[in-house]
Amino acid sequence: MPHTITRAVVIGSGTMGGGIAAHFANAGIPVYLLDITKDVVKASFDRMKKNKPAAFHTARTADLVTIGSLDKNEAWIAEGDWIIEAIVENIDAKRELVAKIDRLRKKGSIVSSNTSGLPIASISSEASEDFKKHFIGTHFFNPPRYMKLLEVIPTPDTDPGVINFVREFAESRLGKSVVLCKDTPNFIANRLASVGGATLVDFALANDYTIEETDSIAGPLIGRPKTAAFRLQDLVGLDIASAVASNLHGLIPDDETRDILASPRVEALRKSQTDKNRLGDKTAQGFYKKGGKEILSVDLKTGEYRARLEPSIPSIAEGLKIKSLPERLKFVLAQDDKAGAMARHVVYNALGYASRRVPEISDDLPSIDRAVRWGFSHDFGPFETWDILGVAETVEAMEKNGASVAPWVKEMLTAGNTSFYRDGRVYSPVSKSYEPLPHDAREIDVKTLPVVQENKSASLRDMGDGVLLLEFHSKMNTLDADIRALLNESIDELERGDWKALVIGNQGADFCVGANLKNAGSGFSPTGPAEAGPSEKNVGSGFSPTGPAEAGPYIRAAEDAVKATQDALMKVRFAAKPVVTAPFARTLGGGA
Ligand code: NAI
């Protein structure tokens, strides 16, 4: 049966339920948000409206959410086309609620449980047949509006039509990237991250690393986000992180690595932090804490806060200067110092563990790589990283460092296959051959589109179907004279040629951070080269402390730059054919 979502019902208005309700509203869908009592839901809703970063697109979006309580408004459940349960992580509570939903829902409505890793099929095992057909697990990441990954977990009873619909809806309407997961404890991303996080913290404690050293090594240096290890724990909340780890430990008796989740060193540290109510951001103190203007960190030996201690490992700063991640990673892994030792332990164990979880948590490698990239913002997933480092040589290095490799990887190498990914295909440990990479026909890789015109900061490309694409690629996608020039020419080309429309978009980290303050006025300076010339920063205000005489040329330069930008944008606005802008992430100043 085809599905349409004209009304969603979210039950549980906490961090996740509230955020999911807000995000459905962001997609234009009216939502009933329910909790145990009206007071609880009202308090959550009020808090959510003030959330930072904002949960709602605009203040008015919140009007699409109607709040109520299960004791008074349970009948609303019958109106939902999709009912999302996001109450506490407790299987009995979830099963009890499922029985209620089963009794009240309309036939054919979709029901999902949001959980960090509880077994989905056992949540619905007592439900009716129609319920089971329409029931699925969803694991949104926090905060739901911003995190790209959505893990979707079907049960053996879930109707394939429901799986496809949920996936399509989540991608097209909610803007998520979906990874279908098996119903195994903590699914993919949290399974790998829980074990990986414990491995890292245990190593830091066993080998006397400081918090600063650990977070400097396990962050961008090895292709991971700045939150690295301890900062991430503060963000997630130590209570949550501990509960997820101990739940997982109990659920995976056959996992050869599970003991790391119960590492006495890590548990002692967690206990000492929890006893002092240092749960992280939620209690305003964790492994890090604000002390006046300073950020203090816990001394892992004494358990007391102290001023930040800059790591004195030269290879960290040296490594960070290497722009290319593959080269940076190879550099760090080769260091004969504390940075190298930690990087080897963390990276090699992560690769080994991921290989040993196949096919248990996934039959295919891209699902694992994507879950790690989209869920935890690593630059590369484990198998992508392994390819970068060279599979055979890394197997050797891993074994030298005590990280065991799954037999299927060695089998792959013995059969003469030297990488996981090859020519747009990926090795399947199940079929033992290369298979086409899953590809979404709606996805376009900008860099592969033919160039029509190009300069240093922007390219005009042919997207097919008679549509042009203007791509910015200046530093941080700042607006400069080159972008202005190509913007003008793009409109000329659009109007002059056989083109139907123009899209302005790119695949950078930010759409556009505004004017380039360094060289916006270049070419206007009476004093010489661009760098030495006036800038929009010092002239934009139209005020100079040195007086109008000196400021004159600077102000004129900025005015000219602003006018040229304004003229180009007006040309876009009044173009004879459609121009669609596709902004995302930071879209500031002239970019907005
Ligand atoms: P929370 O503790 O912030 O909110 C839970 C809400 O459910 C509370 O408002 C509570 O009053 C309500 N509730 C509890 N029992 C209820 C019942 N029987 N009927 C109706 N409402 C009830 O929890 P949070 O963090 O929002 O988590 C919800 C679910 O999402 C959990 O299963 C959790 O494991 C999962 N999750 C949490 C993430 C996180 O970062 N917090 C990330 C991904 C999943």
Side-chain angles (χ1 to χ4, degrees), residues 11-17 35-36 40 70 86-89 94 114-116 139-140 142:
I11 307 175
S13 64
T15 312
M16 295 309 289
D35 209 298
I36 301 172
V40 173
L70 276 176
I87 66 166
V88 280
E89 184 83 338
K94 286 191 190 284
N114 196 69
T115 160
S116 304
H139 181 202
F140 281 88
N142 185 19

Side-chain angles (χ1 to χ4, degrees), residues 190-224:
N190 273 357
R191 176 74 170 268
L192 299 183
S194 302
V195 170
T199 305
L200 174 55
V201 173
D202 179 73
F203 186 81
L205 293 171
N207 297 282
D208 286 338
Y209 284 76
T210 64
I211 283 189
E212 292 87 345
E213 286 171 341
T214 309
D215 279 357
S216 308
I217 298 165
L221 189 66
I222 60 167
R224 298 181 176 198

Side-chain angles (χ1 to χ4, degrees), residues 32 114 116 121 135 144 179 199 279 312 359 411 414 442 444 493 503 512:
Y32 286 135
N114 196 69
S116 304
F135 180 66
V179 170
T199 305
L279 300 184
S312 57
E411 224 176 281
T414 310
R442 294 167 301 183
I444 287 175
E493 175 66 29
V503 175
C512 174

